[in-house]
Amino acid sequence: MNENSRRGFIAGTGAFLILQPGTVRGYQANSALTVGLIGVGRRGTAIGGMFVKNEHCRMAAICDIYDDQIAAGLKAFPNARTFKDYRDLLASDVDAVYIATPPYLHPEHFEAAVAAKKHIFMEKPAGVDAAGCKRVLAAGKKADKSKRITMDFQQRYGKEYRAAHDIFKRGDLGAIKQVRASWLGGGLPVRSGHATGEEKMRNWLFYRELSGDIIVEQDCHNIDVINWFMGTHPVKASGYGGRAVRKEPGNILDNLAATFQFADGTVFSYSANQFTTGGFQDVGETFLCEKGTLYTSRLGYKLWNKNARRADPEETVTKYDITMDAVNDFIDGTRAGRIENMSVAAVESTLTAIMAREAIYSGKEKSWAEFGVTL
């Protein structure tokens, strides 16, 4: 893709393809969007609950390989049809699918959903390795242009995040000169009570081959914000990580630090952990610019400029889960024919995280060019 066509392909920048509602397959403009949920775990059920809070959406089908998860899903979505094979759900008449399976399955499930010509809302990341990213990229480029493809990088849809991004687009702060970000927080819940043979799938979050490790599965949110605001991805990364506190289960890191560099020389420093106690949390992004500094997070943003004192920034506060903004934008946008294809942006941010992960694993600097992915 050339740069102009690529930017038009990436979501979150205001570039949408607008279709007449009557051209959107599967329902009339005044009818509910029917959705099929693939992966009825904790995340799938929780965010699926946000889908049905929108009066214009109905959870029509659910699919999972485990009977207990289907049973739990039916408590949340009692009128949904049930499936054990995602291919059967995709062959049904649902308008859209919400893919909430473990990340290593995302490329396979995304390809199938594209082939089935469904509107798609998929959890991040795009995949767990470069090969998976390439599959998502290829499928996304072949997708029906009347179908909306949204990835759950919630910040791109949060009202305060979009307002902060507008500050940059207006040029209020001048060019970004340095970036730092972090995801410092507590541990993730561990599942128990399952058969030994089901351990890796039930606790997929903790196995790097299934989740991609914390920098890919979780920290990609921060990385996506940086790429979005910078308008591109870093070209190099280095870093370190370890297992300082969490010894079981699995094999993922519980803390890391990485340094990225963009083609123009801008440096982005990053740190993350999953063991902070006492309620402390630092999850957000800081942009140090020519004319001020902007801090963004899911709790809102803070702006320091020449008129702001150190302790008195301009501030906006977000008091709700911005995932609701992403879900509503998907539902309302799909029904209105406001189409986006976020596959390129999702691959770009996922591969940025993979680049840093591989630098951490190897102890050597890694470059974007090594992965052979052209956006």
Side-chain angles (χ1 to χ4, degrees):
M1 286 186 170
N2 62 39
E3 188 64 14
N4 288 335
S5 63
R6 176 176 171 272
R7 292 301 168 203
F9 200 67
I10 293 178
T13 61
F16 293 97
L17 172 65
I18 308 297
L19 301 177
Q20 293 299 317
T23 69
V24 182
R25 174 181 175 273
Y27 57 90
Q28 298 299 317
N30 60 352
S31 300
L33 181 76
T34 58
V35 177
L37 167 61
I38 303 175
V40 195
R42 286 178 296 218
R43 180 72 181 175
T45 302
I47 306 308
M50 292 186 178
F51 273 79
V52 297
K53 285 182 180 179
N54 188 305
E55 63 179 334
H56 301 299
C57 179
R58 180 168 62 86
M59 192 63 69
I62 60 175
C63 176
D64 202 278
I65 62 174
Y66 295 119
D67 290 334
D68 61 305
Q69 298 208 153
I70 288 179
L74 284 174
K75 292 181 180 179
F77 317 111
N79 297 315
R81 289 171 286 168
T82 63
F83 297 89
K84 298 293 287 290
D85 190 320
Y86 73 90
R87 288 162 292 200
D88 293 334
L89 184 149
L90 290 174
S92 74
D93 60 356
V94 295
D95 303 315
V97 291
Y98 168 33
I99 299 172
T101 49
Y104 83 103
L105 291 170
H106 288 178
E108 174 186 338
H109 293 168
F110 181 76
E111 285 175 336
V114 167
K117 298 187 183 300
K118 304 296 185 183
H119 300 285
I120 301 167
F121 187 99
M122 187 168 81
E123 282 299 328
K124 48 65 192 161
V128 299
D129 53 27
C133 287
K134 290 177 182 178
R135 290 175 65 181
V136 170
L137 189 63
K141 289 179 178 179
K142 293 187 294 186
D144 186 329
K145 289 181 171 55
S146 71
K147 303 305 172 189
R148 180 167 173 133
I149 296 174
T150 298
M151 306 292 187
D152 195 13
F153 286 105
Q154 302 99 314
Q155 283 92 325
R156 289 187 182 243
Y157 303 91
K159 294 179 177 63
E160 278 68 45
Y161 264 102
R162 287 187 167 183
H165 188 256
D166 286 343
I167 292 172
F168 283 112
K169 288 198 298 184
R170 290 197 306 265
D172 293 4
L173 296 178
I176 298 170
K177 293 302 182 182
Q178 187 181 11
V179 182
R180 74 173 180 88
S182 60
W183 190 302
L184 303 174
L188 299 171
V190 179
R191 288 184 179 274
S192 60
H194 48 263
T196 302
E198 298 177 356
E199 163 58 19
K200 288 187 73 172
M201 183 60 79
R202 295 285 191 168
N203 277 315
W204 59 265
L205 276 166
F206 300 96
Y207 294 89
R208 60 177 61 170
E209 58 270 33
L210 305 187
S211 69
D213 216 319
I214 66 173
I215 195 167
V216 176
E217 198 283 327
Q218 177 172 273
D219 304 336
C220 63
H221 281 297
N222 298 120
I223 290 168
D224 182 63
V225 172
I226 306 306
N227 286 355
W228 175 28
F229 278 57
M230 290 293 293
T232 187
H233 57 264
V235 295
K236 295 188 291 187
S238 60
Y240 298 93
R243 287 169 68 87
V245 174
R246 181 173 57 219
K247 306 302 181 182
E248 296 292 341
N251 57 9
I252 61 172
L253 305 172
D254 68 359
N255 75 101
L256 60 89
T259 301
F260 301 84
Q261 187 177 62
F262 288 86
D264 67 357
T266 302
V267 173
F268 161 32
S269 59
Y270 188 72
S271 59
N273 73 30
Q274 290 184 339
F275 57 68
T276 300
T277 59
F280 173 79
Q281 189 175 67
D282 181 7
V283 181
E285 307 82 27
T286 304
F287 300 90
L288 297 105
C289 308
E290 292 174 313
K291 302 176 183 178
T293 298
L294 185 67
Y295 173 77
T296 54
S297 79
R298 299 183 188 205
L299 301 179
Y301 70 80
K302 297 179 181 180
L303 172 64
W304 292 263
N305 57 31
K306 63 182 180 181
N307 299 317
R309 295 177 299 169
R310 176 182 174 187
D312 188 27
E314 176 185 329
E315 184 174 3
T316 65
V317 178
T318 303
K319 297 181 178 180
Y320 61 96
D321 186 343
I322 61 174
T323 306
M324 196 73 237
D325 289 332
V327 169
N328 282 336
D329 202 88
F330 174 75
I331 295 168
D332 299 337
T334 299
R335 295 182 71 252
R338 192 173 70 250
I339 303 303
E340 68 175 359
N341 186 332
M342 200 182 172
S343 57
V344 171
V347 166
E348 185 170 37
S349 295
T350 300
L351 194 63
T352 303
I354 290 171
M355 177 173 65
R357 181 194 68 194
E358 294 305 305
I360 292 168
Y361 286 176
S362 67
K364 299 178 181 179
E365 183 179 80
K366 293 292 180 178
S367 70
W368 182 275
E370 292 178 50
F371 297 93
V373 176
T374 302
L375 299 175

